[in-house]
Amino acid sequence: FNNILMAVTGNVSMAKVNLSPDSASYTSLVEAEHACLRAKQLTWQLLTFSKGGVPVKKQTALDGLLRESAARTLRGTSATCTFDITSDLETVSADESQLLQVFSNLLINAQEAMPHGGSIQIKATNVVERERRFEHALQVEAGTYVRVSITDAGLGIPKENVGRIFDPYFSTKQRGSGLGLATSYSIVKNHGGFLTVDSKVGLGTTLHVH
């Protein structure tokens, strides 16, 4: 399916070269290209979600990974991004491609929560969990974690929906698949991490990946 999408995307890109950016046809092709990219992303979401996606881990620095994810995901959108990354951020044992998918999913959610544009803050710091507990049904072991927080200034999540946002196929968006956060949850779980969320209606949302 991805090979078919690549053929479609390639032909759309070639067709754009022969058109003026001001033409209606060019605008339609840009929309088609965006749709292909969304379909490609959804394919990977389904693959990861259905197969479990066992991560291939190596020591990874998150600073560059977060900046790359933001540049890819927010290119061409009305959202801007600021970074607050501690200089002594620990490396993590992780699958880079899967973490890119997690950050991309969270950034897409943040951007879509601000339909008229706005600023997304990405913060990364080292934290210590003092005791064993559960968060959203994921077991938290005591120890040192890297926490990545992605904050939007959007509509916020109603209190009654906060407990469901990681459920497969649950979405409050008209075009949402309900797989973005469910896939992210699965990936973070397979990395021995956990997620938390802070949200107030009208004041925005912060998703923390540990």
Side-chain angles (χ1 to χ4, degrees):
F1 187 66
N2 267 328
N3 289 342
I4 295 169
L5 285 174
M6 285 179 66
V8 174
T9 307
N11 280 287
V12 167
S13 297
M14 289 178 66
K16 282 168 59 186
V17 172
N18 300 316
L19 293 171
S20 166
D22 298 326
S23 69
S25 297
Y26 186 92
T27 302
S28 296
L29 287 171
V30 169
E31 285 297 316
E33 196 169 41
H34 286 165
C36 285
L37 292 173
R38 286 196 300 270
K40 182 179 179 182
Q41 186 178 48
L42 181 58
T43 304
W44 284 110
Q45 306 256 46
L46 288 163
L47 188 64
T48 302
F49 187 66
S50 63
K51 294 178 68 176
V54 177
V56 179
K57 298 179 183 178
K58 65 176 184 179
Q59 288 303 120
T60 302
L62 292 188
D63 190 331
L65 210 61
L66 287 166
R67 295 179 190 277
E68 178 186 350
S69 181
R72 280 191 197 177
T73 307
L74 301 178
R75 185 182 295 120
T77 73
S78 57
T80 59
C81 193
T82 61
F83 296 90
D84 180 9
I85 299 175
T86 186
S87 59
D88 63 344
L89 195 68
E90 298 280 359
T91 60
V92 296
S93 177
D95 184 313
E96 286 190 11
S97 63
Q98 289 194 6
L99 283 194
L100 274 172
Q101 191 173 346
V102 171
F103 300 145
S104 176
N105 288 342
L106 301 191
L107 286 164
I108 287 171
N109 276 9
Q111 182 262 320
E112 290 181 344
M114 304 184 298
H116 304 296
S119 179
I120 298 169
Q121 184 188 55
I122 297 178
K123 183 175 182 179
T125 188
N126 304 313
V127 296
V128 177
E129 293 296 330
R130 301 292 181 188
E131 57 186 22
R132 194 179 187 187
R133 66 177 197 285
F134 284 87
E135 287 281 0
H136 291 281
L138 291 180
Q139 186 165 289
V140 179
E141 298 290 347
T144 303
Y145 291 81
V146 169
R147 179 171 64 203
V148 174
S149 305
I150 296 178
T151 303
D152 65 62
L155 302 174
I157 304 169
K159 191 174 181 179
E160 62 271 19
N161 289 339
V162 169
R164 301 182 62 196
I165 62 172
F166 300 117
D167 292 353
Y169 310 113
F170 174 78
S171 178
T172 58
K173 294 179 289 187
Q174 199 169 19
R175 292 194 304 167
S177 66
L179 279 173
L181 288 180
T183 304
S184 299
Y185 181 95
S186 175
I187 290 171
V188 172
K189 177 183 178 181
N190 287 341
H191 279 77
F194 63 97
L195 298 109
T196 56
V197 57
D198 297 316
S199 186
K200 290 185 179 179
V201 174
L203 296 177
T205 299
T206 301
L207 273 157
H208 306 280
V209 180
H210 300 76

